[in-house]
Amino acid sequence: MSHEVYQQAIKDLAGREAGRLVAPTASARLDNPLCGDRIDLDVTVADGTVTGLGQVTRGCLLCKASATVAVEQATGLEVARAVALVEDVRAMLRQGASPPLAGLAAFEAVRPYKSRHECVLLPFKALAKALGSGLP
Amino acid sequence: MSHEVYQQAIKDLAGREAGRLVAPTASARLDNPLCGDRIDLDVTVADGTVTGLGQVTRGCLLCKASATVAVEQATGLEVARAVALVEDVRAMLRQGASPPLAGLAAFEAVRPYKSRHECVLLPFKALAKALGSGLP
Amino acid sequence: MTIKTIRSAFPVLARAHFHYLDNAAMAQVPGQVINAVAAHDVAARANVHRGLHDLARRADAAYEAARESVAGFLSARPDEVVFTGGCTQALNLVAGGLAESLGPRDMVVVSVAEHHSNLLPWLMLAKRRGFQLASIPVTWDGRLDLSDLSMIDARCKVVAVTHVSNVTGAVSDIPRLAEAAHAVGAKLVVDGAQRTPHGPVDPRALGADFYAFAGHKTYGPTGVGVLWGRAEHLAHLPPAAWGGGMVAGLDGETVDFLDPPRRFEAGTPPVAQAVGLAAALDWMRGLDWDKVRLHEAGLTRQLLAGLAGLDGIELVGPNGLEDRLPVVSFTVKGCHPHDVAHLLGEHGVAVRGGAHCSQPLMKALGLHEGCLRVSMAPYNDDSDIHALLRGLAEAVRVLR
Amino acid sequence: MTIKTIRSAFPVLARAHFHYLDNAAMAQVPGQVINAVAAHDVAARANVHRGLHDLARRADAAYEAARESVAGFLSARPDEVVFTGGCTQALNLVAGGLAESLGPRDMVVVSVAEHHSNLLPWLMLAKRRGFQLASIPVTWDGRLDLSDLSMIDARCKVVAVTHVSNVTGAVSDIPRLAEAAHAVGAKLVVDGAQRTPHGPVDPRALGADFYAFAGHKTYGPTGVGVLWGRAEHLAHLPPAAWGGGMVAGLDGETVDFLDPPRRFEAGTPPVAQAVGLAAALDWMRGLDWDKVRLHEAGLTRQLLAGLAGLDGIELVGPNGLEDRLPVVSFTVKGCHPHDVAHLLGEHGVAVRGGAHCSQPLMKALGLHEGCLRVSMAPYNDDSDIHALLRGLAEAVRVLR
Ligand SMILES: Cc1ncc(COP(=O)(O)O)c(C=O)c1O
Ligand SMILES: Cc1ncc(COP(=O)(O)O)c(C=O)c1O
């Protein structure tokens, strides 16, 4: 059985759920009703920069793992940069672009599995939504 | 070119249009809007017997020829018998039953051409309709 | 007729290490169906109805013979068989037609176990025409709960239920529902999508008034489905789609529709697909269904026993064999269905994970993440169940 | 690319003494389309969308690749391409969706030359929703009479016209109609059923807002059709059929539909047929259409000249080559079209006789008995025209 997609790195990421923030600047809830995935994501912003992130995710391993990367590695980014991540992740999955965050390297194995792309994208969509850009 | 369906007997029949009756007991107009065929059929009835028939038909050769057989050979039949002809003609065309009227022998060649059955049936449907049975 | 003979009819099953257990989504197709479609397109391809050349006559004959084959499968009359583009289209057709005479004082009763295709048409038409929609609830094991059918009352004009659940494999008690519906003068629409893959069926004997099924789940082509209706009901059903081939006369605003079934077949029908479906049903009718049913039940038993031996499996639906067909759903504790299905797929075992187009049932059973579904066909065998159980154990090991 | 090469792609044409000139009813199909469908069913058969096993991934990929192929044929975006069961279903889908926002103060403008499939949906929905229906008249030679378009006024919300007449082969002036429609804010729905068999088309460049065509007339399988719509319009179009695979969320009465195109593809789509259609369009895109059009025009010229040399022939439609495709209709004095078509059929020449699902046009042109129609495809050649003309002369001799 191929474990490429379910390598240890992914499982480790999925196991680290940040939890909600106490005093977020903004929050977003996003559903993927097709598979029941749901993410609640909180963000704090100061001076145009993402200063903190939290999340609770119900969903598959890929979605949970991706959510962890989002909150752990988008902190410190400029808001515009964080909003743009969803497009970069999409380009990574669909066009083979390189991972926009180091932690996303583990997700390159998901490329051939188109029906799983949405799982990886959902947290980044939630991030963009929380940052007020609306969905792409 | 096979002329079986368009044998001289059929053409002769098609060429003999009886025309309308002056004082019919009943009349019926029937359309086959799919091909524009239209028959106007008149009947006189006395003592439960068909005593006279007339028709004017716009339609294909088969329909016109069948109309001629109907008016020429159903005269003298009991009403119930005349009404039943449509079923007998159908059985002749579909199940290979023998022709219920001598003049219909020429139409046995139509059997393999299912899409033409309606052309042969229309005058007999009109006859049944005029005789007040409604359509089968 | 051994399972080996059955398997050998299906070219796709010749692939090694391949275990297809996603039959409820789409069944595989016997070679003779593929050939029937190809042969039709080479030797009898033309539009149907009133064609006057050789190919058109062959096309007409093939299409009407296909209708007769479906009629035979359903113990019905050919003029009660309407070809559609699929089961969903068949259900939209009957819902659209029946809804024409429904208004705010009327009610349609569906069930919580309906596939979206037998729910959304009624739901959307209810919004549009103002009639009420009520749902028969389900028991803890996903069966229709018929203990209280008082909602099928004088206001109820239509009862629309699934014959077999696409999630649990539970077989609905159609005769009982027919009795309840007919007692108040309501019509019974049955979604047979998951029933027809398991042998010929007689909807009239069951008490159904309308019955719909899909070609692609019944070993036939995609792009074709069937709506059966009692002749006496079809005669009064208005068409819900319009186009060429279904009118006798058209004069200004006056439209004179053809008699059933053609009234319901607007436009060029799926001719070659109907021919393919007939080939599939003919193949099915050649099987010994007593034997096949025993075989399918044996696989189900084996699967249920195997699942019981695994840790953290929770069944969705009946845990026995009575009144159920070989569709088995379950959850795996701590593992999302999509992750499990993905890993099984890598292992050569095809199952489905998710909500199975049955969100109300998922909600009723508290399955926020959906479930895994294993669905069997006559060509499945022990090796498929073994591979599934082995794969499941390994998937759990990988994921936990 | 010679006509011989083109012919050789079509297995059915290998039959001797067989002249297929009934292409407007249904075109024949190249071998590679038959093979593509068969190959799909053997190696990639599964339901589409969110499948997690190998076959499902292949099916998804094949289906979405088919969408891209159609998009290429139409110079459009893939998400503007909706697969349907046929052209009629596509027209019902757009009519049903647009009609949702039409009421008694609105008007839809069609033309007298419409095929029933682009007339009846509007007519029936007009009765239901109370909007007005107006018809653009035709000239003596069956063309849309655009000399007075004042009926396309502020009340007009939709103009629905055929791109090419299935009776006369006349090509409508779509850019002009688009201008008139858009000037009053109306949407332009174009029935492309008879246009797509004659090469790729760019509905957006023509000014259409929606465009429908049929697989089986475009050298593809039966059971599939296409609705194209501008993304900006599809985004606001409500679905007119409902079922599995088209909702994101369903919570009680609240339905959240997926984005186009999936919103319009309720139920299992005609997957293998879409794959077959893509193979057909790919075959078409491999032809040199400048050459093919010259060839088709040459056949039309030859046919028109031949008919002019026969006694008692009356043309229906344009008598020239300008703005017409290779569809030629006519009547034969003293001979009913069905009798002639029947005899031609016996002669190995396949044409169609009748009203061609175009009763308003028949009425407008005074053709109570319909007419004969000869419709050509790239694979037709001189021998087909000769056989037709010879057969026609003989049929007249037999019938008169
Ligand atoms: C119970 C049930 N009803 C209806 C449908 C719809 O069938 P189709 O998608 O073929 O239209 C399905 C299959 O998806 C089903 O399982
Ligand atoms: C102009 C035109 N529109 C629509 C249609 C309907 O297409 P279909 O029968 O494939 O649905 C046809 C063909 O019959 C046609 O010729």
Side-chain angles (χ1 to χ4, degrees), chain A residues 20-104:
Chain A
R20 304 295 301 259
L21 296 188
V22 182
T25 316
S27 299
R29 162 173 289 187
L30 214 54
D31 285 305
N32 180 352
L34 287 176
C35 48
D37 290 355
R38 163 173 291 180
I39 179 165
D40 283 292
L41 184 136
D42 300 319
V43 60
T44 52
V45 176
D47 291 334
T49 299
V50 175
T51 52
L53 281 158
Q55 59 89 5
V56 169
T57 300
R58 179 179 82 199
C60 64
L61 262 182
L62 296 182
C63 188
K64 284 169 172 283
S66 167
T68 297
V69 176
V71 301
E72 293 184 356
Q73 305 197 350
T75 306
L77 294 183
E78 282 178 22
V79 167
R81 184 73 212 87
V83 166
L85 277 174
V86 58
E87 277 316 319
D88 296 343
V89 178
R90 192 177 271 132
M92 170 188 115
L93 292 169
R94 296 214 186 142
Q95 282 105 42
S98 49
L101 299 173
L104 286 169

Side-chain angles (χ1 to χ4, degrees), chain C residues 30-372:
Chain C
Q32 63 202 78
V33 169
I34 297 175
N35 296 341
V37 172
H40 177 86
D41 264 347
V42 169
R45 180 171 157 111
N47 217 317
V48 289
H49 305 315
R50 305 205 61 76
L52 297 165
H53 52 79
D54 180 42
L55 278 187
R57 276 201 305 274
R58 291 186 201 207
D60 272 342
Y63 186 60
E64 295 308 326
R67 203 188 296 283
E68 280 172 29
S69 165
V70 174
F73 186 82
L74 299 175
S75 300
R77 283 165 41 178
D79 64 351
E80 295 181 323
V81 171
V82 177
F83 283 114
T84 69
C87 184
T88 300
Q89 201 188 318
L91 292 164
N92 273 273
L93 206 57
V94 62
L98 291 174
E100 279 295 283
S101 51
L102 298 181
R105 278 181 308 193
D106 301 312
M107 187 167 66
V108 170
V109 171
V110 296
S111 93
V112 168
E114 296 316 306
H115 186 278
H116 291 174
S117 291
N118 196 31
L119 170 59
L120 282 169
W122 304 107
L123 181 61
M124 297 304 294
L125 290 163
K127 290 186 190 204
R128 195 165 291 192
R129 301 200 52 92
F131 60 80
Q132 300 296 306
L133 197 65
S135 285
I136 298 171
V138 291
T139 59
W140 63 273
D141 62 349
R143 289 191 183 278
L144 302 201
D145 182 353
L146 305 185
S147 62
D148 177 9
L149 288 180
S150 60
M151 67 177 76
I152 302 179
D153 61 15
R155 291 193 313 157
C156 174
K157 299 299 185 302
V158 178
V159 177
V161 290
T162 192
H163 192 172
V164 175
S165 162
N166 63 307
V167 176
T168 66
V171 180
S172 308
D173 187 347
I174 299 299
R176 172 115 179 261
L177 286 156
E179 199 184 359
H182 295 156
V184 297
K187 299 202 172 68
L188 180 63
V189 175
V190 178
D191 172 1
Q194 296 296 341
R195 170 58 185 79
T196 52
H198 303 286
V201 60
D202 184 344
R204 182 181 289 272
L206 287 167
D209 295 302
F210 296 96
Y211 198 88
F213 73 94
H216 68 88
K217 295 190 203 289
T218 317
Y219 319 105
T222 52
V224 64
V226 167
L227 175 66
W228 167 87
R230 289 177 189 256
E232 59 270 33
H233 295 331
L234 286 182
H236 301 293
L237 190 71
W242 310 279
M246 47 97 74
V247 292
L250 177 61
D251 192 6
E253 308 253 300
T254 312
V255 186
D256 183 14
F257 294 113
L258 289 171
D259 286 336
R262 286 188 56 194
R263 181 194 303 165
F264 304 105
E265 298 183 349
T268 302
V271 185
Q273 292 69 44
V275 167
L277 176 57
L281 299 184
D282 291 347
W283 171 79
M284 284 184 80
R285 287 159 78 189
L287 301 185
D288 177 343
W289 281 96
D290 287 338
K291 266 198 193 162
V292 172
R293 268 192 211 106
L294 274 178
H295 167 67
E296 290 183 340
L299 294 178
T300 309
R301 183 183 301 110
Q302 207 178 332
L303 173 58
L304 290 172
L307 290 174
L310 287 175
D311 203 36
I313 299 282
E314 200 147 336
L315 271 189
V316 174
N319 52 22
L321 295 173
E322 214 173 321
D323 293 329
R324 77 108 37 86
L325 286 178
V327 176
V328 177
S329 287
F330 54 91
T331 57
V332 185
K333 201 177 164 159
C335 300
H336 191 284
H338 284 158
D339 292 321
V340 179
H342 183 130
L343 280 166
L344 285 171
E346 296 294 293
H347 198 62
V349 179
V351 303
R352 194 146 291 235
H356 310 288
C357 298
S358 304
Q359 290 188 18
L361 183 64
M362 294 299 115
K363 208 174 165 186
L365 299 178
L367 301 166
H368 301 295
E369 302 187 333
C371 56
L372 283 156

